[in-house]
Amino acid sequence: MSVAQTLDQRIREDIERNIRSGAWRPGDRIPFEHELVAEYGCARATVSKALTALSRAGLIERRRKAGSFVAHPHVQSAVLDVPDIGSVIAARGDAYRFELLKRGERKHAAGDPLEAAGAMLTIEGVHHAAGEPFGHEQRLISLAMVPQARDVDFTAEAPGSWLLGHVPWSEARHRIAAVPADARLARLLGIAPGTACLQLERWTWQLGKEVTWVRQTFPGDRYDLVAQFTPQSR
Amino acid sequence: MSVAQTLDQRIREDIERNIRSGAWRPGDRIPFEHELVAEYGCARATVSKALTALSRAGLIERRRKAGSFVAHPHVQSAVLDVPDIGSVIAARGDAYRFELLKRGERKHAAGDPLEAAGAMLTIEGVHHAAGEPFGHEQRLISLAMVPQARDVDFTAEAPGSWLLGHVPWSEARHRIAAVPADARLARLLGIAPGTACLQLERWTWQLGKEVTWVRQTFPGDRYDLVAQFTPQSR
DNA sequence: ACAAATATTATGACTAGACATAATACGGTC
DNA sequence: GACCGTATTATGTCTAGTCATAATATTTGT
């Protein structure tokens, strides 16, 4: 099967195979650490490393004194990659362009998706693939958090990829929904009003402070999200 | 801030804060393990545990001889929880019911979303919340993999939750798209034809063999997906 | 000057222990 | 038999070290 691998990986995979094959069912107790130590002839730290990994992956639950048990699956948990739009289009071999429609600056207003007070940069634009409209983007950037954004020319670079390079390693929350295109969106994207669109909203913050909010809307027939290789958890 | 925590967690969080705050930027070398050992006055295994976790989270890259470096973010990677529909509705405090529309059995046909040959169970139904239609489901189940499914009464329990309890710890691939409701779907869900719907497709397999395929469709105004707390990676 | 051989160094995996902690099982008391 | 304190036990975190491995620096040979 697989080639050279470490002992803790082998232990992990042996246990995982027993769980995924159904040989060990949810609720079953798996062997105690000291039993695995005896079986593999290794130190307890090595067994523990394997079990810690399985526990973090949600496959087992460890209980002091009682032992470790195969977890009960509850939700399907998937890792969803939300790539930069420019790179998605480039990967398909199409030319990419960001068309800046509007750019403004204003104070925080009630009902804004960004809750932090202070000055904000507002950006609206359309992503193009191979010359055709691909998706619409509405964005707010907190100027308190990213003052340099004031001096950036977003006709040359899309705000998303600029932010990725200049405000790295932030955190985010995503919301995915299906919405009909309103009249304005339909005109901008060259589609019929009411067309089903995939809408992705993302709030990004850095150390608990809001950096940017973006709402991207794509016609349903031009874009979909794929969440690959999905273990269950918890 | 936080209360009692382990030393490796503290080291991990200290480094993570430096990265997320932007103090250490992508490409920067973080302190060597032996420097962190001196700083925290602990064993190298403890520092290594923290760095291993950061590396698996995609925040740093470790290179032998060279040291460890802050990774360059590329895509937004989010953990998406796709819960069982029944529990979603129950969590909102509404009554849940699965209405079985059709149930059949047939051989594999060309173009089926499940590629494995053999007999398949076909199921169609509607999920109801508080007496109102909530979403539509079309499903195929491989009878070679789950022969017991033949004897289950899916009017009592939705196939999704039954499978979760009887074929645990499988793997899956998801696809999310926005589609307009066709005439039949519109009638079943009590919505206007063309209404924007969120469509979730899921292929599930166990140890490399296909178990089930499902396509769930929800009117856009009744359901959306939220991907929480999203670290970037790779 | 350039390439090959060698030394150095940081990470990676591991061992054989120690002590802490939480949950269970056991025993004795009322 | 119900209740409470104590002993036991499996996990959880950690130490102080070893040996291996991969990549960089340095030296050596031509």
Side-chain angles (χ1 to χ4, degrees):
Chain A
M1 282 278 159
S2 33
V3 280
Q5 54 175 356
T6 60
L7 182 54
D8 64 294
Q9 272 175 46
R10 220 187 85 208
I11 298 173
R12 197 205 133 121
E13 282 172 28
D14 286 353
I15 296 171
E16 186 162 350
R17 190 161 34 244
N18 274 307
I19 294 176
R20 293 209 185 269
S21 72
W24 296 351
R25 301 196 52 84
D28 287 0
R29 211 204 73 227
I30 73 170
F32 290 126
E33 293 191 2
H34 64 83
E35 291 173 325
L36 293 167
V37 162
E39 187 180 335
Y40 289 94
C42 65
R44 192 166 75 90
T46 306
V47 166
S48 187
K49 193 177 174 186
L51 294 190
T52 300
L54 287 166
S55 167
R56 280 224 299 238
L59 276 154
I60 63 167
E61 250 178 69
R62 303 173 82 182
R63 289 211 302 277
R64 280 181 161 111
K65 162 81 181 175
S68 297
F69 299 81
V70 179
H72 290 271
H74 287 294
V75 296
Q76 290 266 3
S77 163
V79 176
L80 180 75
D81 281 347
V82 184
D84 184 57
I85 298 172
S87 36
V88 171
I89 293 172
R92 306 200 306 186
D94 289 334
Y96 170 72
R97 185 172 69 87
F98 180 71
E99 178 195 4
L100 183 65
L101 293 177
K102 260 198 218 168
R103 178 191 173 122
E105 202 173 309
R106 63 173 169 82
K107 285 264 161 74
H108 175 267
D112 268 340
L114 284 190
E115 281 172 26
M120 296 186 307
L121 200 61
T122 63
I123 289 167
E124 187 186 8
V126 173
H127 299 273
H128 290 264
E132 295 293 311
F134 180 78
H136 173 262
E137 169 165 336
Q138 180 76 50
R139 187 183 286 270
L140 296 175
I141 301 174
S142 161
L143 285 168
M145 290 295 291
V146 201
Q148 325 93 287
R150 193 177 263 130
D151 307 317
V152 179
D153 172 21
F154 289 118
T155 59
E157 188 175 14
S161 51
W162 182 84
L163 283 164
L164 199 62
H166 290 78
V167 189
W169 296 120
S170 44
E171 293 149 50
R173 191 176 78 94
H174 292 91
R175 185 179 152 272
I176 300 159
V179 298
D182 60 21
R184 180 175 150 72
L185 187 70
R187 183 166 47 75
L188 291 171
L189 296 179
I191 55 178
T195 300
C197 293
L198 197 66
Q199 190 174 75
L200 181 78
E201 273 184 291
R202 178 165 57 230
W203 291 260
T204 306
W205 62 93
Q206 189 174 32
L207 293 180
K209 281 186 265 185
E210 291 172 317
V211 173
T212 183
W213 165 83
V214 64
R215 183 171 60 204
Q216 297 171 334
T217 316
F218 310 94
D221 56 352
R222 293 186 203 167
Y223 190 55
D224 51 37
L225 291 163
V226 172
Q228 259 299 4
F229 205 78
T230 307
Q232 291 155 318
S233 79
R234 279 278 288 165
Chain B
M1 284 277 160
S2 34
V3 279
Q5 55 175 357
T6 59
L7 181 54
D8 63 279
Q9 272 175 43
R10 221 186 85 209
I11 298 173
R12 196 204 134 124
E13 281 172 28
D14 286 352
I15 295 170
E16 187 162 348
R17 191 162 33 245
N18 274 307
I19 295 174
R20 293 209 186 270
S21 72
W24 296 349
R25 300 194 53 83
D28 288 359
R29 210 205 73 226
I30 74 171
F32 291 126
E33 293 191 1
H34 64 82
E35 292 172 325
L36 292 167
V37 163
E39 188 181 335
Y40 290 93
C42 65
R44 190 166 78 89
T46 307
V47 165
S48 187
K49 192 178 174 186
L51 294 190
T52 301
L54 286 166
S55 168
R56 280 224 300 238
L59 275 153
I60 63 168
E61 250 177 68
R62 305 172 81 181
R63 288 211 303 275
R64 280 180 159 113
K65 162 79 184 178
S68 296
F69 299 81
V70 179
H72 290 269
H74 287 292
V75 296
Q76 290 266 2
S77 162
V79 176
L80 180 76
D81 281 346
V82 184
D84 182 58
I85 298 172
S87 36
V88 171
I89 292 171
R92 307 199 306 188
D94 289 334
Y96 170 73
R97 185 171 68 88
F98 179 71
E99 178 194 5
L100 183 65
L101 293 177
K102 258 197 221 169
R103 179 195 174 119
E105 201 173 312
R106 63 172 168 82
K107 286 265 160 74
H108 175 268
D112 267 342
L114 285 189
E115 282 171 27
M120 295 186 309
L121 200 61
T122 64
I123 289 167
E124 186 187 7
V126 175
H127 300 272
H128 290 264
E132 295 292 311
F134 181 79
H136 173 262
E137 168 164 337
Q138 180 76 51
R139 185 182 288 270
L140 295 176
I141 300 174
S142 161
L143 284 169
M145 289 295 290
V146 201
Q148 324 93 286
R150 193 176 265 133
D151 307 317
V152 179
D153 173 20
F154 289 119
T155 58
E157 188 174 15
S161 49
W162 182 86
L163 282 164
L164 200 61
H166 291 77
V167 190
W169 297 120
S170 43
E171 292 148 49
R173 193 176 76 93
H174 292 91
R175 184 178 151 273
I176 300 159
V179 297
D182 61 21
R184 180 176 149 72
L185 187 70
R187 184 166 47 77
L188 290 172
L189 296 179
I191 55 179
T195 300
C197 293
L198 197 65
Q199 191 173 76
L200 181 78
E201 273 183 292
R202 177 164 60 229
W203 291 261
T204 306
W205 63 94
Q206 188 177 30
L207 293 179
K209 281 185 264 183
E210 291 172 316
V211 173
T212 183
W213 164 85
V214 64
R215 183 171 61 205
Q216 297 171 333
T217 316
F218 309 94
D221 56 353
R222 292 185 204 168
Y223 191 54
D224 52 38
L225 292 163
V226 173
Q228 259 300 2
F229 203 79
T230 309
Q232 291 155 316
S233 78
R234 277 287 287 169

